[in-house]
Amino acid sequence: MIKKGFLLIICLILCTGSFFVSLGNTAVHADTPTSTSTSIPTSVIDWNAVRQTVDGFGGSGAFGRPDFIMQLEEPIRTQILDMVFSKDKGIGISIIRNLVGDGVAAPTIEPQPGVFVWDDPDWETKRADFDKGQIWFMNEAKKRGVTTFMSTVWSPPAWMKTNNSVNGISDGVQGKLKPEHYQDFADYLAEYVLGYKKYFDIDIKYISVANEPNWPASYSGCIWTPEELNVFIRDYLGPTFKAKNVPAKIMMPETLDFSEAYAIPALNDPVTVDYIGVVAAHAYGSAGISPFPVSTEKKKPIWMTEFGTGNVVISYDGGTMKDGLTQANMISDMFNTTGISAFFWWWLAARNESDGSDLIRLVHDDSGQVNG
């Protein structure tokens, strides 16, 4: 079932309020109130005056969620894919956010140091099953016109980390990338982008270094400080992408809260700043909605790359009109106040009870779940 509130968001943003949006790198122009001789309010829109670029609206297929859709019978499977990605039959989601495999949450391309899966003599027989769900999801989106794919790192492989686990915290020990593996990790991300193009014909256009680096997750995660992210991008990832002609843009920091604070050291570094393609953050926590002045000054696109209700920003209210209006106002504020260029829901289609994390919630007859 589709979350009615989110469908209202697109309609409300596109059709009402203080601005108009056309998805896909198109101008956004504020209304200019005028008055006629009869005092009837009117708006004048100059489509040739570009005020803002909108890169799109997106969502994720991380943690195996596309597998749920793959298991559905036809015509339901196609109907759901159309509702998500089609501009004619659905809401036209235009960006997919993937999970870079760590060996647990998704398959890793380098299960042990220096050994990549495509170096296996039996790779051709194994290729079709590698990261099958996410690759299938991207290909289905491509059939419906989606061309923008980003991939986020939740965790490097366990062998690169201080706690020898992909979890953000394991046995009370927070996991960080070992400094001696900074170059290995930069090579890993370069090979990921190049390999997905070579073996799956998937163009990964954006690579995000970390998912919520300020959160010690009990699941896949990795702790970074702002300065560690700066050093890694400046001295390792940026130069490696340049040397290997990796076309993907670098995104950071994707913090839990909606703030640019974690990106400040990198944005203020005269070397790192040129490597940063997008400043991204999530809409959880209590930071509220505010400008990103440094990102704006440096002319960096700002993306809000993960949001699901059930947190302190807004509360899930069963997908009602109230919920739709609240979320529409939030997105409007992010575009107007912060100046974001893209907004992402968390999961596009999954089965996670009525907690508001799924844009389309999959429910089977024996689940005991209620509508919402």
Side-chain angles (χ1 to χ4, degrees):
M1 55 196 74
I2 300 180
K3 186 177 298 304
K4 294 176 287 185
F6 193 79
L7 292 176
L8 285 169
I9 291 170
I10 305 299
C11 178
L12 287 165
I13 288 182
L14 294 180
C15 305
T16 69
S18 61
F19 59 94
F20 289 74
V21 177
S22 178
L23 302 184
N25 296 313
T26 306
V28 177
H29 191 287
D31 287 350
T32 305
T34 63
S35 297
T36 66
S37 58
T38 56
S39 299
I40 298 175
T42 61
S43 296
V44 177
I45 301 173
D46 181 359
W47 293 110
N48 295 316
V50 176
R51 300 293 180 87
Q52 187 175 356
T53 297
V54 177
D55 295 316
F57 286 78
S60 181
F63 293 96
R65 267 45 188 184
D67 296 346
F68 301 150
I69 308 173
M70 290 176 65
Q71 295 169 14
L72 297 173
E73 296 180 353
E74 293 291 2
I76 298 298
R77 181 170 61 234
T78 293
Q79 289 174 352
I80 289 175
L81 291 166
D82 285 344
M83 284 190 289
V84 172
F85 298 118
S86 173
K87 293 181 180 179
D88 298 322
K89 301 177 182 179
I91 61 174
I93 289 294
S94 57
I95 309 173
I96 288 184
R97 179 175 178 242
N98 305 291
L99 182 153
V100 177
D102 54 25
V104 176
T108 173
I109 63 169
E110 191 179 8
Q112 52 185 305
V115 179
F116 290 90
V117 291
W118 33 72
D119 295 332
D120 187 329
D122 296 324
W123 167 243
E124 288 304 319
T125 63
K126 298 177 179 179
R127 177 165 58 171
D129 291 325
F130 183 82
D131 202 11
K132 186 174 182 178
Q134 290 194 115
I135 291 171
W136 172 82
F137 203 41
M138 285 187 280
N139 281 324
E140 289 297 322
K142 285 172 66 175
K143 293 176 185 177
R144 293 161 174 84
V146 178
T147 59
T148 303
F149 304 110
M150 66 165 284
S151 292
T152 296
V153 177
W154 264 256
S155 174
W159 59 267
M160 294 188 187
K161 294 178 63 184
T162 57
N163 63 349
N164 296 310
S165 169
V166 299
N167 291 347
I169 185 168
S170 179
D171 296 326
V173 179
Q174 293 188 358
K176 299 172 72 72
L177 179 66
K178 295 178 181 177
E180 60 266 31
H181 286 309
Y182 273 31
Q183 186 58 55
D184 293 327
F185 186 46
D187 292 334
Y188 180 88
L189 295 180
E191 291 301 317
Y192 172 87
V193 175
L194 298 174
Y196 271 56
K197 176 60 178 177
K198 179 178 180 179
Y199 297 107
F200 306 111
D201 195 28
I202 297 290
D203 293 295
I204 303 297
K205 293 188 177 181
Y206 299 89
I207 281 288
S208 178
V209 177
N211 174 77
E212 299 175 357
N214 55 337
W215 176 251
S218 58
Y219 46 88
S220 291
C222 187
I223 301 298
W224 296 80
T225 67
E227 186 54 37
E228 286 168 344
L229 285 172
N230 178 38
V231 170
F232 174 68
I233 294 171
R234 181 191 67 205
D235 298 343
Y236 298 92
L237 187 61
T240 298
F241 273 25
K242 184 176 181 180
K244 295 188 176 186
N245 294 316
V246 177
K249 295 181 180 180
I250 297 171
M251 180 184 297
M252 59 88 70
E254 282 207 272
T255 45
L256 183 75
D257 52 316
F258 193 62
S259 166
E260 68 172 354
Y262 242 70
I264 298 301
L267 290 171
N268 285 334
D269 189 300
V271 176
T272 316
V273 67
D274 290 337
Y275 289 129
I276 297 174
V278 172
V279 173
H282 296 173
Y284 305 116
S286 57
I289 298 170
S290 59
F292 283 25
V294 180
S295 302
T296 302
E297 176 195 350
K298 304 294 183 180
K299 302 186 184 307
K300 300 299 179 182
I302 303 165
W303 288 15
M304 199 297 296
T305 49
E306 185 181 318
F307 176 75
T309 58
N311 55 74
V312 299
V313 178
I314 67 171
S315 61
Y316 181 69
D317 193 34
T320 63
M321 175 65 79
K322 174 185 174 182
D323 200 37
L325 290 171
T326 302
Q327 295 172 42
N329 283 328
M330 180 189 71
I331 298 177
S332 175
D333 288 343
M334 286 184 173
F335 275 98
N336 283 319
T337 302
T338 310
I340 66 171
S341 299
F343 180 95
F344 288 63
W345 201 258
W346 180 201
W347 281 310
L348 291 171
R351 51 181 191 186
N352 294 289
E353 301 292 337
S354 54
D355 64 355
S357 60
D358 311 332
L359 182 57
I360 297 178
R361 183 158 61 88
L362 307 177
V363 180
H364 58 79
D365 293 340
D366 299 324
S367 67
Q369 295 186 35
V370 298
N371 292 338

